[in-house]
């Protein structure tokens, strides 16, 4: 029995000492000693059911009680002190102390309690002293102390507390109350064993996790996927070369699924790039054969229609298309992988988009990435013939600035920003994919990631998490998350089941308060995953 419990028991039990009183027949069980205002029960086989309704203190020592159920003390609503010691019950259920609105002292010490329900203490609005010392509690449920506004002393010492995410709420709660809290030391995990709970810093706990779980499948293979918002509604567009179309998807609020809204005829399409300008919607359909086209929707309620053939003499084998803004005007850059064609910058001029500049001729470019460095527009081109080349916007045109060192055989590049830095994800089909960071003059190697069979290494900012997804033709696609403390991408999970078959592009969208990840696959259907946030401290 805890020392405080003994003192308070003597004080309250002694209030009736020397007073001649015989409890009415049936009011003091045989296993108990009763005085005017108190009862001490020792060795009783069960929780006594007959007590004086004006009892102020009750002590239960070494009883045969196996559990505390809801409403166990409704017959003694006047209790001010309740003490349990050396009992064998292991569970305290919700509302076990219901009706004890006057209880001030509750001591549950030296028992074998392994769990306590989160609402076990509900209704104890007068409680000032609580002791759960010397039990077998490894954790306490969140909100256990909710509503106990009068607490001044809490004793949790002597329990094998596991100082993992489940204890985070307790660490956050202690500084917010005017109660002295005795917590004792951690029993685990090993790294924190024997450390005093009061010395733990809540900020060091990482108790938020995320999970991407399968949600929906969209039939037909796809090479690209893009998100856009039109008239306040989020949409996705898939480049489906075998189906010969750009497929526009929207959210069906009735079915709570994505459904087709419109499709654009585009045989051998490799990229469908959307652009919204006020009420107008444009989609650039880059095609391997038959010429690339621009589709337009002048306003809501109208359908998309082809309006322009794009640079037919320059775009002979497009492989990628990107949108960028230059001097306040929207432009597309289309990477061309043919020997005779050239990567081309197309900028808006009147009703259409026309060639502004040819770039990187004869280099068979496989990917283009638009980014901003040092406050200026830049363009990064990856090709099959040399290392990625970085261009900067200067004097109304792109000029070569530098290349990316130690980056041979790069198929594609994607960038992201975090903590004021610019990072680059470089995809390599053979060898390791890489993460680089801009140092003010060039990109420097930061991290290598094994990636045999990769065609896409896509960074995505979803909610608060900077993710990067490394797709593979030969293994499960890996989701990585940037750890701010380390500045490195760390493995988070594999995508699947169902497994992705030759993934080529990833994009995310937020709709109806839910976050989704689209995975476009070249040899299988597009898979959609839902992003979930998990609170590990709950």
């Amino acid at each position: 029995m805890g020392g405080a419990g003994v003192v308070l028991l003597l004080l309250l039990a002694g209030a009736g000492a020397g007073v001649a009183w015989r409890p009415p027949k049936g009011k003091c069980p045989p296993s108990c000693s009763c005085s005017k205002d108190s009862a001490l029960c020792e060795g009783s086989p069960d929780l006594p059911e007959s007590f004086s309704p004006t009892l102020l203190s009750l002590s239960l020592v070494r009883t045969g009680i196996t559990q505390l159920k809801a409403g166990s003390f409704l017959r003694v609503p006047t209790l001010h002190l309740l003490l349990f010691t050396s009992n064998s019950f292991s569970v305290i259920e919700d509302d076990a102390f219901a009706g004890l609105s006057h209880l001030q002292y509750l001591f549950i010490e030296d028992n074998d309690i392994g769990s306590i329900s989160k609402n076990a203490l509900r209704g104890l609005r007068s409680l000032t002293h609580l002791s759960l010392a010397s039990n077998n509690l490894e954790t306490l449920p969140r909100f256990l102390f909710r509503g106990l506004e009068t607490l001044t002393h809490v004793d949790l010492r002597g329990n094998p507390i596991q100082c993992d995410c489940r204890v985070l709420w307790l660490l956050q709660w202690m500084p917010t109350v005017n109660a002295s809290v005795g917590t004792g030391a951690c029993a685990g995990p090993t790294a924190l064993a024997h450390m005093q709970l009061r010395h733990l810093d809540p900020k060091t706990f990482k108790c938020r996790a995320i999970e991407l779980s399968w949600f929906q499948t969209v039939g037909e293979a796809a090479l690209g996927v893009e998100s856009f918002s039109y008239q306040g509604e989020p949409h996705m567009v898939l480049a489906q070369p075998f189906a010969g179309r750009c497929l526009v998807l929207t959210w069906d609020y009735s079915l709570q699924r994505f459904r087709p809204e419109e499709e654009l005829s585009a045989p051998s399409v490799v990229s469908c790039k959307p652009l919204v300008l006020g009420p107008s919607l444009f989609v650039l359909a880059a095609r391997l054969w038959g010429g690339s086209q621009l589709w337009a929707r002048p306003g809501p309620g109208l359908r998309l229609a082809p309006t322009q053939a794009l640079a037919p003499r320059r775009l002979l084998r497009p492989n990628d298309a990107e949108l960028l803004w230059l001097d306040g005007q929207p432009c597309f850059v289309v990477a061309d992988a043919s020997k005779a064609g050239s990567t081309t910058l197309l900028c808006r001029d009147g009703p259409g988009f026309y060639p502004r500049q040819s770039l990187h001729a004869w280099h068979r470019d496989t990917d283009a990435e638009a980014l901003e460095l040092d406050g200026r527009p830049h363009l990064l081109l990856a090709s099959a013939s040399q290392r990625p080349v970085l261009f900067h916007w200067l004097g109304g045109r792109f000029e070569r600035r530098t290349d990316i060192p130690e980056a041979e055989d790069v198929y594609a590049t994607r960038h992201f920003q975090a903590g004021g830095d610019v990072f680059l994800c470089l995809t390599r089909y053979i060898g390791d994919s890489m993460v680089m960071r801009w140092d003010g003059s060039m990109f420097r190697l930061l991290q290598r990631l094994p990636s045999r069979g990769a065609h896409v290494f896509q960074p995505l900012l979803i909610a608060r998490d900077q993710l990067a997804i490394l797709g593979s033709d030969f293994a499960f696609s890996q989701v990585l998350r940037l750890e701010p403390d380390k500045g490195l991408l760390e493995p988070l999970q594999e995508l699947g089941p169902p497994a992705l078959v030759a993934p080529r592009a990833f994009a995310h969208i937020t709709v109806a308060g839910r976050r989704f990840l689209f995975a476009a696959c070249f040899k299988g259907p597009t898979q959609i995953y839902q992003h979930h946030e998990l609170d590990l401290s709950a």
Side-chain angles (χ1 to χ4, degrees):
M1 182 187 302
V6 173
V7 173
L8 286 166
L9 174 61
L10 292 175
L11 286 174
L12 287 176
V19 178
W21 175 75
R22 290 183 179 274
K25 186 177 180 180
K27 293 298 183 181
C28 188
S31 58
C32 300
S33 300
C34 301
S35 65
K36 182 177 181 181
D37 298 317
S38 65
L40 170 61
C41 300
E42 185 171 358
S44 60
D46 203 348
L47 187 65
E49 295 185 0
S50 54
F51 284 111
S52 167
T54 60
L55 199 65
L56 295 181
S57 72
L58 174 61
S59 302
L60 300 168
V61 181
R62 290 186 293 277
T63 68
I65 301 170
T66 58
Q67 58 183 326
L68 288 183
K69 297 182 179 181
S72 294
F73 301 94
L74 290 174
R75 295 175 181 272
V76 281
T78 58
L79 280 181
H80 285 198
L81 180 146
L82 180 57
L83 182 145
F84 300 86
T85 188
S86 302
N87 295 287
S88 59
F89 59 88
S90 60
V91 176
I92 304 178
E93 297 183 1
D94 283 344
D95 300 308
F97 307 103
L100 299 183
S101 60
H102 301 290
L103 191 69
Q104 299 177 32
Y105 304 91
L106 177 59
F107 299 93
I108 308 174
E109 303 173 337
D110 295 302
N111 297 283
D112 194 32
I113 302 170
S115 67
I116 181 170
S117 298
K118 68 177 182 179
N119 296 316
L121 306 178
R122 184 161 51 190
L124 299 181
R125 60 174 180 265
S126 300
L127 195 66
T128 59
H129 291 68
L130 171 66
S131 176
L132 297 171
S134 302
N135 286 289
N136 197 32
L137 292 166
E138 293 188 355
T139 187
L140 296 173
R142 183 186 286 192
F143 307 126
L144 177 64
F145 304 138
R146 181 168 53 186
L148 307 184
E149 307 295 339
T150 56
L151 274 179
T152 58
H153 295 81
V154 178
D155 191 355
L156 304 174
R157 293 172 297 176
N159 285 287
I161 299 294
Q162 294 296 311
C163 296
D164 51 25
C165 285
R166 295 171 295 173
V167 82
L168 178 60
W169 76 267
L170 182 62
L171 301 178
Q172 295 170 332
W173 173 81
M174 289 191 296
T176 67
V177 294
N178 294 321
S180 63
V181 183
T183 55
C186 302
T190 304
L192 298 177
H194 309 300
M195 182 176 291
Q196 295 292 315
L197 264 73
R198 65 176 180 273
H199 293 157
L200 299 179
D201 183 359
K203 296 179 181 178
T204 63
F205 283 72
K206 299 184 183 301
C207 297
R208 178 181 163 274
I210 65 170
E211 180 183 74
L212 291 163
S213 60
W214 179 83
F215 177 76
Q216 184 182 344
T217 297
V218 178
E220 301 294 342
L223 275 175
V225 58
E226 300 282 349
S227 63
F228 66 97
S229 178
Y230 181 69
Q231 296 296 301
E233 287 295 325
H235 293 75
M236 302 295 286
V237 57
L238 293 168
Q240 297 181 325
F242 300 135
R245 65 187 180 185
C246 294
L247 180 64
V248 180
L249 301 172
T250 189
W251 179 253
D252 190 314
Y253 288 89
S254 298
L255 299 177
Q256 294 291 293
R257 294 172 66 82
F258 291 94
R259 62 169 176 81
E261 181 184 73
E262 189 171 356
E263 61 180 74
L264 320 180
S265 177
S268 70
V269 67
V270 296
S271 178
C272 303
K273 201 71 179 180
L275 167 65
V276 177
L277 294 176
S280 299
L281 169 64
F282 300 90
V283 177
L284 182 151
R287 300 163 56 193
L288 287 177
W289 299 285
S292 298
Q293 291 180 312
L294 183 71
W295 292 64
R297 176 192 292 171
L302 303 174
R303 298 188 65 81
L304 285 158
T307 60
Q308 181 187 358
L310 297 171
R313 294 183 180 180
R314 305 188 191 194
L315 301 178
L316 303 182
R317 192 181 174 188
N319 205 67
D320 183 40
E322 293 297 327
L323 172 67
L324 66 163
W325 289 77
L326 299 169
D327 300 329
Q329 290 295 320
C331 299
F332 293 103
V333 60
V334 181
D336 192 274
S338 68
K339 290 183 178 180
S342 63
T343 294
T344 303
L345 179 68
L346 303 154
C347 292
R348 193 181 188 202
D349 187 0
F353 286 78
Y354 298 94
R356 175 80 171 266
Q357 182 182 357
S358 291
L359 292 149
H360 218 217
W362 309 103
H363 284 294
R364 302 175 62 186
D365 294 328
T366 56
D367 180 81
E369 176 72 352
L371 66 163
E372 187 173 290
L373 297 171
D374 309 323
R376 289 183 297 165
H378 282 67
L379 181 65
L380 191 58
L381 297 180
S383 72
S385 59
Q386 66 179 73
R387 294 181 296 189
V389 177
L390 184 67
F391 296 83
H392 59 163
W393 187 248
L394 186 66
R397 60 185 289 109
F398 278 112
E399 299 288 351
R400 180 187 174 112
R401 179 171 180 179
T402 185
D403 61 8
I404 308 297
E406 303 176 17
E408 286 77 13
D409 301 317
V410 171
Y411 178 78
T413 62
R414 293 291 181 267
H415 82 286
F416 66 93
Q417 295 183 341
D421 290 322
V422 178
F423 298 83
L424 201 60
C425 294
L426 297 94
T427 309
R428 300 176 74 201
Y429 187 79
I430 300 174
D432 294 340
S433 289
M434 296 178 285
V435 181
M436 293 187 168
R437 181 168 54 202
W438 180 251
D439 70 358
S441 60
M442 66 174 58
F443 283 99
R444 303 284 186 183
L445 180 63
L446 183 67
Q447 188 176 4
R448 291 181 181 272
L449 296 164
S451 61
R452 180 174 173 268
H455 276 96
V456 56
F457 187 12
Q458 177 70 58
L460 296 167
L461 181 63
I462 304 181
R464 294 175 284 168
D465 299 294
Q466 179 60 62
L467 306 180
I469 306 177
L470 187 58
S472 173
D473 286 6
F474 306 124
F476 282 105
S477 295
Q478 295 283 338
V479 182
L480 304 108
R481 177 168 57 184
L482 182 70
E483 295 296 337
D485 297 340
K486 300 179 181 178
L488 298 174
L489 291 171
E490 298 286 347
L492 182 66
Q493 75 169 85
E494 293 178 340
L495 280 179
L500 302 180
V501 186
R504 291 296 182 265
F506 298 95
H508 78 282
I509 189 172
T510 299
V511 57
R514 300 158 71 180
R515 293 179 288 269
F516 298 95
L517 171 73
F518 278 65
C521 298
F522 181 56
K523 296 182 180 180
T526 294
Q527 303 293 352
I528 306 174
Y529 299 87
Q530 185 169 354
H531 174 276
H532 302 277
E533 294 190 55
L534 309 175
D535 184 358
L536 301 181
S537 67

